[in-house]
Amino acid sequence: MFSVGVIFYIILTGRPLFKGNTPDEILEKNTKCEYTLSDRQWESISDSAKDLCLKLLIENPDERITAS
């Protein structure tokens, strides 16, 4: 479901969730779940879409929203 959240973010904003100068830097941010939602494009997204995206991106799988 985390991957769904990453793809959902990209669809909503047109930008990658994890940003970095090298593939290793991007992978490290993904592994540590380091992201920000402060992009200008993110501000125009509805509150319900933001809420769903945030629930999909919760680091702890036990706390993350499920498909069911």
Side-chain angles (χ1 to χ4, degrees):
M1 293 310 299
F2 186 82
S3 296
V4 171
V6 172
I7 293 167
F8 189 52
Y9 177 88
I10 293 168
I11 290 169
L12 290 172
T13 66
R15 296 174 170 237
L17 178 61
F18 300 104
K19 298 165 185 76
N21 295 320
T22 66
D24 287 338
E25 187 178 341
I26 294 166
L27 181 60
E28 182 177 341
K29 288 182 179 185
N30 186 323
T31 303
K32 293 181 179 179
C33 201
E34 293 178 4
Y35 61 88
T36 59
L37 304 177
S38 61
D39 290 336
R40 258 190 336 233
Q41 291 180 348
W42 186 251
E43 293 172 0
S44 66
I45 306 300
S46 72
D47 288 340
S48 58
K50 287 180 195 177
D51 184 56
L52 175 58
C53 197
L54 290 172
K55 288 177 179 176
L56 290 165
L57 294 173
I58 292 174
E59 183 176 8
N60 183 340
D62 295 330
E63 297 174 10
R64 190 178 308 136
I65 193 172
T66 65
S68 58

